[in-house]
Amino acid sequence: MSLIEIKNLRKEYLDVTPLENVSVNIEEGDIVSIIGPSGTGKSTLLRCINRLETPTSGSIIVDGVNVCDPDADLPAVRRKMGMVFQAFNLFPHKMVVENIMMPQQTLLGRSPAEAYEEAMEQLRLVGLEAKSRRYPNELSGGQKQRVAIARALAMHPKIMLFDEPTSALDPEMVSEVISVMRELAGTGLTMLIVTHEMRLAQEISNRIFFMDKGGIYEEGTPEQIFENPQKERTRNFIFRIRSWEYAFTYNTRDIYEMMASLTHFCTRQFKDSKAMRNCQLAVEELTTSCLLPAAEKEPDATVRLILNAGEKTRDVKLFVDYSGLKTPDDPFKGSADEISTAIMDRVMDRLEDTREGMAVYQIKK
């Protein structure tokens, strides 16, 4: 018997049906990343599995117990499942160690001494032992999420459910949470992860569920889904998440906003810090040294940048659409100073492109 068996699951509200006829089995030790557009039932699926949401119909059997049965012992089943939310859900008036002790004492009946020892052990595992007597408002977002993970692990669950655990974090904090989850993936723990972090999904999962329109539209290994998706909506989704696009005019330019958006995209896509740095340098130098001086003459003309990460980030290209400038000159030829030119030559190569008003660059790795 599979650890989790979902059959004909349906969840409907008055005006929307987020889940419709979902059937899938999850084996012990599986690490499943659930991806897809917003509003396609990903989080609802997790919340039905641990019965934070009551399914409209169908069955969910967790470790031999149908949690949809009105007579099911839900507290006993939930003790086998840890859940990490995007909003942390820590008690602000309790110290970090107390946040981890409380569910152990309430649900497992552990003594204060036992709960404290377990809490400190889990804090050591997530690198936060020194923060045990701090309050949540004294922690960064990444640290709060690591505390939430430690709290769930202290219950010794068989299954961990992660509902977009990095979506509420600033880009620089995402890596610390991914690092902890990567460590967990090597322990044999069964994990279901709703995520928009494709880097995480590719690195640690053995199965990917792509959800769309209330169901599992396509599933497979990370290689199958990210490199050779078989269905059209999956292919379209993968293409979109691998592309970053930013448009600006001289009058509406905000370089800080543009670079923050690019950094967020690169953080999700690239494991290699060199590839990320080269993308950032390429965009920044092209924009400040070439595009803005050209756009100053036509301050309302739109310039569009598109960075395509390519399959498995092997073929990274930067497309620059400057057709809105209406200039007969190529803004990239001879416009940059010697230092900027040297930087751009080091991080990218210009490719041939016959489209008027378009420049294409290959980012070096």
Side-chain angles (χ1 to χ4, degrees), residues 239-258:
F239 176 80
R240 285 199 308 274
I241 62 173
R242 286 193 171 134
S243 295
W244 170 82
E245 184 170 343
Y246 194 88
F248 66 90
T249 69
Y250 187 83
N251 283 337
T252 63
R253 70 193 187 280
D254 187 334
I255 300 301
Y256 292 104
E257 178 190 60
M258 179 183 73

Side-chain angles (χ1 to χ4, degrees), residues 67-304:
V67 299
C68 299
D69 187 332
D71 296 325
D73 186 351
L74 290 181
V77 176
R78 285 174 178 153
R79 284 195 288 270
K80 299 179 181 181
M81 290 185 281
M83 186 156 185
V84 177
F85 302 86
Q86 61 183 22
F88 320 129
N89 290 5
L90 301 176
F91 291 107
H93 62 292
K94 297 288 185 180
M95 290 187 294
V96 163
V97 69
E98 292 174 319
N99 267 277
I100 301 174
M101 290 172 62
M102 286 177 60
Q104 298 179 63
Q105 294 174 270
T106 303
L107 299 175
L108 301 182
R110 289 176 182 162
S111 68
E114 291 172 326
Y116 178 81
E117 183 178 354
E118 180 66 35
M120 294 305 294
E121 174 62 23
Q122 297 303 333
L123 284 172
R124 279 190 286 273
L125 289 175
V126 299
L128 290 175
E129 184 181 11
K131 306 288 186 181
S132 65
R133 296 192 176 274
R134 299 288 182 89
Y135 288 88
N137 64 3
E138 299 177 89
L139 305 180
S140 69
Q143 290 170 337
K144 290 176 186 176
Q145 196 60 288
R146 285 151 63 193
V147 171
I149 292 172
R151 178 180 58 187
L153 292 175
M155 306 296 287
H156 291 192
K158 294 184 69 172
I159 303 163
M160 281 287 287
L161 308 176
F162 294 89
D163 188 8
E164 300 194 28
T166 60
S167 65
L169 304 179
D170 292 331
E172 63 269 19
M173 298 177 186
V174 169
S175 293
E176 63 188 81
V177 175
I178 288 179
S179 179
V180 170
M181 295 178 68
R182 190 184 295 116
E183 291 291 324
L184 288 181
T187 66
L189 186 64
T190 303
M191 299 165 61
L192 278 73
I193 309 161
V194 171
T195 184
H196 288 97
E197 295 291 340
M198 299 303 111
R199 176 167 57 115
L200 173 67
Q202 292 180 75
E203 281 185 20
I204 73 172
S205 307
N206 68 306
R207 299 172 71 187
I208 304 288
F209 294 168
F210 173 70
M211 291 191 67
D212 195 23
K213 296 187 176 180
I216 298 174
Y217 179 72
E218 185 170 353
E219 75 163 286
T221 65
E223 292 75 19
Q224 289 169 334
I225 296 299
F226 288 105
E227 295 184 42
N228 190 31
Q230 298 299 300
K231 297 186 177 182
E232 181 180 5
R233 291 203 296 271
T234 313
R235 287 194 295 269
N236 291 341
F237 176 80
I238 296 300
F239 176 80
R240 285 199 308 274
I241 62 173
R242 286 193 171 134
S243 295
W244 170 82
E245 184 170 343
Y246 194 88
F248 66 90
T249 69
Y250 187 83
N251 283 337
T252 63
R253 70 193 187 280
D254 187 334
I255 300 301
Y256 292 104
E257 178 190 60
M258 179 183 73
M259 295 308 296
S261 171
L262 175 64
T263 298
H264 186 55
F265 170 79
C266 289
T267 300
R268 292 172 180 264
Q269 293 292 336
F270 301 117
K271 293 185 288 184
D272 181 2
S273 60
K274 181 181 178 182
M276 181 186 302
R277 186 171 63 252
N278 284 355
C279 288
Q280 293 168 321
L281 285 171
V283 169
E284 185 172 21
E285 290 298 333
L286 276 177
T287 301
T288 58
S289 299
C290 303
L291 290 172
L292 288 181
E296 187 175 9
K297 304 169 187 176
E298 301 176 65
D300 294 318
T302 298
V303 176
R304 181 169 286 103

